[in-house]
Amino acid sequence: MRDDLHWPAPTASLPVDATVTVPGSKSVTNRALVLAALAAEPAYIRRPLRSRDTLLMAGALRSLGVTIEDIPNSATNTPGGGDAWRVLPTGLHGPTRVDVGNAGTVMRFLPPVAALADGPVFFDGDPRSHERPLGGVISGLRALGARIDDEGRGALPLTVHGTGALDGGTVTVDASSSSQFVSALLLSGPRFNQGVEVRHVGAPVPSLPHIRMTVDMLRLAGAQVDAPEDGGEPDVWRVTPGALLGRDMVVEPDLSNAAPFLAAALVTAGTVTVRDWPTRTTQPGDELRPIFTAMGGSCAFTPDGLRFTGSGKVRGIDADLHEVGELTPVIAAVAALADGPSTLRGIAHLRMHETDRLAAIAKELNELGGDVRETEDGLEIRPRPLHGGVFHTYEDHRLATAAAVLGLVVPGVEVENVATTAKTLPDFPELWQELLSGGRPSGAESVPAGRA
């Protein structure tokens, strides 16, 4: 990686052929940390993701009084190796200050936890965090009995005045801008005196698989949860009050972060195997299998993991990505290299993610010669010959990995601030170069292979 802000994305001279290990899931790691902090007994989180977002979560919980111990590889006895965190729920207290960075899980999951602390907890973060929606969590907590000072912003910065307990009960929220509003209230719900019943009103909730992940992890921690997928009332989730168990869990690889690696196989007509891909999971990234298959690849489970192979032809797609919006940047990059147009729908909520992802994707692809048009709820992509240039990331990790995919077949792509990938995918430039070296540490740079 160069020392300046522009990383020259390597190009592939041959189809990629590699087996890769994707770091652990951010979504699972941060939910596991919250549940362990609220448990009645110690817990182990093995092979956690250690990235900016998860380290912010761990640091915030430590500031609230939770003990999180690092356990080295040699002491974990974890299947497949890896280190671990031992979490001791040693009480929640203020006053303290929480830095959320630009992590949606930290800024949304921790105010309910802070309401259970004894003392005030001040939340602040990166400038972009002040623009991200938080009103559903704030209004929901107030309805459940919490006192929050936000000077009427409905956003950061804010102070939660914890009293050591929260009544809980029934609350109505509009979670149409983020499924994390629902997950935030559910995760702490077992510790509320009356539990919690969350009722969503408004446009459909995006990224429902993430709520299913929350429900699944709550149940594994011993909570009783009623959810719509169990045949219950639509858009209503209930959590019964009760003690949470301290689990011993191994974090799955982050399947959403596998997107650029599978995309590399698709656009170079190569083969990539992702180790430890679960056969059953609540991660939205599992939808990469049918989506990229529809775009021209094929996949199969093997003893080594999920093997994905590109056919040499990339097809356009018409897809509703409402439930898997985080996959959009890499899918859009692949679509820009396809042999026909694509329409990506149901993703208006991406305008309020780490950046306005729809505007950013359209602008950066068009700057490289593409033909991308924003629609009311998505993108229309008409493939055109692309050329090199600087691809700006807007401090958004998924835009950086999308640019790397383009660089495999478009010579001269330079990724501005590739270091932003550390948010969820540490050491991405090194992992990417290893991919081009067959999963081995790289020597020489790849020879450019242009795209007409």
Side-chain angles (χ1 to χ4, degrees):
M1 192 170 94
R2 293 196 327 209
D3 291 334
D4 61 21
L5 286 176
H6 292 170
W7 176 66
T11 52
S13 58
L14 296 169
V16 298
D17 185 4
T19 298
V20 299
T21 300
V22 177
S25 165
K26 175 203 73 174
S27 298
V28 172
T29 299
N30 275 357
R31 283 166 172 78
L33 281 168
V34 171
L35 291 171
L38 296 174
E41 55 192 358
Y44 287 87
I45 303 171
R46 304 184 187 273
R47 290 164 62 179
L49 174 66
R50 292 178 183 265
S51 70
R52 188 187 184 211
D53 279 17
T54 61
L55 293 176
L56 283 167
M57 179 67 85
L61 290 170
R62 286 182 173 121
S63 75
L64 284 163
V66 179
T67 299
I68 303 176
E69 300 174 343
D70 288 296
I71 300 178
N73 293 7
S74 59
T76 63
N77 295 319
T78 303
D83 61 352
W85 277 321
R86 181 172 182 247
V87 183
L88 304 174
T90 46
L92 300 169
H93 59 75
T96 191
R97 178 188 180 98
V98 169
D99 176 13
V100 309
N102 193 20
T105 51
V106 182
M107 71 179 70
R108 293 167 183 147
F109 292 178
L110 287 191
V113 176
L116 298 169
D118 185 9
V121 182
F122 178 71
F123 288 83
D124 202 358
D126 298 351
R128 172 63 179 174
S129 72
H130 296 182
E131 302 172 16
R132 299 187 67 182
L134 194 57
V137 175
I138 295 171
S139 62
L141 283 174
R142 283 177 174 151
L144 295 172
R147 178 187 162 203
I148 301 175
D149 291 337
D150 66 342
E151 298 181 356
R153 285 182 297 268
L156 294 174
L158 59 82
T159 299
V160 178
H161 295 272
T163 59
L166 197 65
D167 286 341
T170 299
V171 61
T172 299
V173 299
D174 181 350
S176 58
S177 59
S178 177
S179 67
Q180 290 175 356
F181 294 175
V182 176
S183 287
L185 298 171
L186 296 182
L187 285 167
S188 293
R191 288 284 303 272
F192 300 163
N193 293 337
Q194 302 174 42
V196 70
E197 178 182 291
V198 181
R199 292 180 166 268
H200 163 69
V201 294
V205 180
S207 303
L208 279 173
H210 278 119
I211 300 181
R212 289 193 280 271
M213 177 188 293
T214 298
V215 169
D216 187 59
M217 292 184 69
L218 276 163
R219 287 172 174 163
L220 290 172
Q224 181 178 330
V225 187
D226 297 322
E229 58 266 28
D230 305 317
E233 191 175 348
D235 290 334
V236 178
W237 295 264
R238 297 182 183 90
V239 179
T240 301
L244 291 171
L245 306 175
R247 291 193 57 216
D248 188 330
M249 70 168 295
V250 179
V251 176
E252 297 176 353
D254 194 314
L255 305 188
S256 294
N257 276 340
F261 300 97
L262 299 188
L266 188 55
V267 303
T268 69
T271 297
V272 170
T273 299
V274 179
R275 292 188 181 94
D276 302 321
W277 194 290
T279 56
R280 178 192 174 276
T281 182
T282 53
Q283 289 193 60
D286 195 44
E287 287 300 305
L288 287 166
R289 294 188 294 126
I291 291 170
F292 279 167
T293 296
M295 297 187 81
S298 61
C299 64
F301 284 101
T302 73
D304 293 327
L306 181 76
R307 184 180 65 228
F308 188 86
T309 303
S311 64
K313 182 176 182 178
V314 180
R315 297 193 291 265
I317 191 172
D318 186 331
D320 186 337
L321 303 181
H322 186 70
E323 292 199 352
V324 293
E326 64 196 53
L327 306 179
T328 299
V330 168
I331 293 172
V334 173
L337 303 171
D339 62 3
S342 294
T343 300
L344 308 181
R345 296 176 284 104
I347 45 177
H349 60 284
L350 295 189
R351 293 189 170 94
M352 296 302 297
H353 275 220
E354 280 80 348
T355 187
D356 179 341
R357 281 183 173 161
L358 299 186
I361 291 168
K363 179 179 183 299
E364 297 308 313
L365 284 174
N366 289 340
E367 289 287 331
L368 299 184
D371 182 3
V372 183
R373 186 179 74 87
E374 280 190 71
T375 65
E376 182 178 350
D377 74 335
L379 298 169
E380 291 181 349
I381 302 171
R382 296 175 178 83
R384 294 176 55 182
L386 302 181
H387 55 73
V390 175
F391 193 105
H392 298 91
T393 65
Y394 309 88
E395 299 186 2
D396 188 329
H397 55 132
R398 301 206 189 278
L399 287 174
T401 56
V405 171
L406 293 170
L408 290 173
V409 293
V410 180
V413 173
E414 295 192 1
V415 185
E416 175 264 335
N417 190 19
V418 73
T420 195
T421 53
K423 176 179 172 69
T424 61
L425 194 52
D427 304 318
F428 172 74
E430 291 77 12
L431 290 170
W432 199 244
Q433 191 63 64
E434 288 180 21
L435 170 77
L436 297 180
S437 305
R440 300 179 299 277
S442 62
E445 294 229 356
S446 302
V447 178
R451 184 175 185 81

